[in-house]
Amino acid sequence: MFGFSDLLSLIISAFIILPIVIFLRETGYLIVSEIFGVKNPRLTIGSGPRLFKFWIIDVRKHYHLFSWFSYDALKRESKLAYICIYAGPILMNLSVALVLNALLANGLLEEYRTFWDRFVFYAFYYVLFDIIPMRTINGMPNNGMIIYEMLRYGKRTDYNHEPFIYKTTDIEEEYQETQEEIRQKNKEEK
């Protein structure tokens, strides 16, 4: 039976654990791309209007599941660079999950075991759906598919003209245009 403690666990999972796991996942892109000389990186968490922007972190008003990493260019572009960048989120969540799992197995996180068990579960969940090559409902490849295509064909083969990772400058321009349209519509309604 679903009780109050289950509801509390669900809330903690949805609003604390998932955002942290997603942030770690997106940070995996950043760490690896720094090795290849990323220019103008940004971690965007959420969607919609901006709540705040601090350094390279852009936090939006609406739910965190829609999050992404962007940059303008790489100094050292290569097939290996793209493979490594797309493996970054997988490796980040995998390493965090394995370390936490080892700590749990050795009894070091017993006080909040349920929390950490769920954290490990969601980290492995994202690894699983990142590493198995597949296409999303809109036909876009996941990280596993991009890595597979780069290894097998030396390029992305879905013939999608959108970039691997969006440019930060383009995203910022689009955001500013959208905010201006909203301001204009609000003025017209008044």
Side-chain angles (χ1 to χ4, degrees):
M1 186 168 129
F2 192 83
F4 180 74
S5 64
D6 297 314
L7 177 62
L8 185 58
S9 293
L10 177 64
I11 290 169
I12 289 169
S13 294
F15 296 105
I16 296 174
I17 295 172
L18 269 176
I20 294 170
V21 169
I22 290 168
F23 181 77
L24 288 171
R25 179 185 183 278
E26 300 300 324
T27 303
Y29 285 116
L30 177 65
I31 291 169
V32 175
S33 65
E34 283 291 330
I35 294 167
F36 294 98
V38 71
K39 294 178 186 173
N40 197 17
R42 181 172 301 162
L43 290 175
T44 302
I45 308 298
S47 62
R50 181 177 287 145
L51 289 176
F52 65 89
K53 184 176 165 228
F54 174 73
W55 186 46
I56 63 166
I57 299 171
D58 183 9
V59 177
R60 304 292 179 91
K61 183 178 180 180
H62 302 295
Y63 198 59
H64 57 272
L65 284 178
F66 187 67
S67 301
W68 66 91
F69 171 70
S70 62
Y71 64 87
D72 283 342
L74 286 175
K75 289 179 188 171
R76 294 180 290 279
E77 281 193 50
S78 68
K79 199 177 354 175
L80 177 64
Y82 286 115
I83 291 169
C84 290
I85 288 171
Y86 282 95
I90 298 167
L91 296 174
M92 174 62 90
N93 276 351
L94 184 61
S95 60
V96 168
L98 289 174
V99 167
L100 288 174
N101 201 48
L103 292 172
L104 286 166
N106 289 300
L108 297 175
L109 299 174
E110 285 302 315
E111 189 173 351
Y112 300 104
R113 184 170 187 94
T114 303
F115 177 88
W116 293 114
D117 281 340
R118 287 173 194 247
F119 195 99
V120 169
F121 171 83
Y122 283 111
F124 278 128
Y125 174 87
Y126 272 89
V127 168
L128 177 67
F129 286 103
D130 246 357
I131 204 165
I132 296 173
M134 66 177 99
R135 297 198 186 282
T136 61
I137 196 162
N138 64 358
M140 295 292 287
N142 72 344
N143 289 351
M145 183 61 85
I146 291 172
I147 293 168
Y148 169 76
E149 290 174 342
M150 290 297 287
L151 289 171
R152 182 160 183 195
Y153 305 110
K155 62 183 177 177
R156 185 172 163 181
T157 61
D158 62 355
Y159 306 106
N160 194 318
H161 298 292
E162 295 180 22
F164 277 111
I165 294 178
Y166 298 103
K167 290 187 176 186
T168 302
T169 304
D170 294 344
I171 290 172
E172 184 62 27
E173 286 174 8
E174 183 179 317
Y175 173 78
Q176 293 301 334
E177 288 171 7
T178 302
Q179 292 305 306
E180 183 57 35
E181 288 173 13
I182 291 170
R183 283 191 287 278
Q184 290 297 331
K185 285 181 181 179
N186 287 340
K187 277 184 180 180
E188 291 171 7
E189 289 176 1
K190 289 181 183 180

